[in-house]
């Protein structure tokens, strides 16, 4: 029932689709009589993928900064509470000794 659909043709490596040979203004030379299939493009531009990657990186950075700020806030609050507890304990001990 659930079978993966295999592509009709072998996938073309990305290096071949992105790299373009230097353009020459010579007539094409046909050395063989066999019919070659043209190189198929990926069908989607590369630029939107770069835009998504940049926005994903920005989102990760923002989340990292927010989480770091929250962690620093918790640490500062813990230090403040511990200092307040020490001061209160010192004041209460001195009041009991009098």
């Amino acid at each position: 029932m659930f079978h993966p659909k295999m592509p009709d043709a072998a996938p073309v490596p990305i290096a071949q689709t992105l790299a373009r040979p230097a353009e020459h203004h010579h007539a094409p030379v046909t050395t063989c009589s066999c019919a070659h299939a043209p190189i198929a493009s990926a069908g989607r531009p590369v630029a939107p993928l770069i835009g998504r990657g940049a926005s994903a990186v920005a989102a990760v950075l923002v989340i990292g900064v927010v989480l770091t700020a929250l962690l620093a806030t918790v640490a500062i609050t813990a230090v403040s509470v511990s200092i307040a507890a020490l001061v209160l304990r010192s004041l209460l001990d001195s009041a009991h000794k009098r």
Side-chain angles (χ1 to χ4, degrees):
M1 181 173 175
F2 296 107
H3 295 287
K5 182 180 178 184
M6 301 302 287
D8 294 335
V12 179
I14 295 174
Q16 288 183 359
T17 59
L18 296 179
R20 295 179 187 230
E23 292 185 18
H24 297 287
H25 298 289
H26 301 289
V29 178
T30 56
T31 57
C32 63
S33 62
C34 58
H36 294 283
I39 297 175
S41 66
R44 57 182 175 214
V46 178
L49 297 178
I50 294 171
R52 286 185 202 152
S55 63
V57 169
V60 168
L61 287 176
V62 167
I63 291 171
V65 168
V66 168
L67 291 178
T68 304
L70 288 173
L71 180 64
T73 303
V74 169
I76 290 171
T77 303
V79 169
S80 300
V81 168
S82 64
I83 290 173
L86 288 176
V87 169
L88 284 174
R89 189 173 89 178
S90 173
L91 288 173
L92 291 175
D93 283 344
S94 65
H96 285 284
K97 289 182 181 179
R98 290 187 195 176

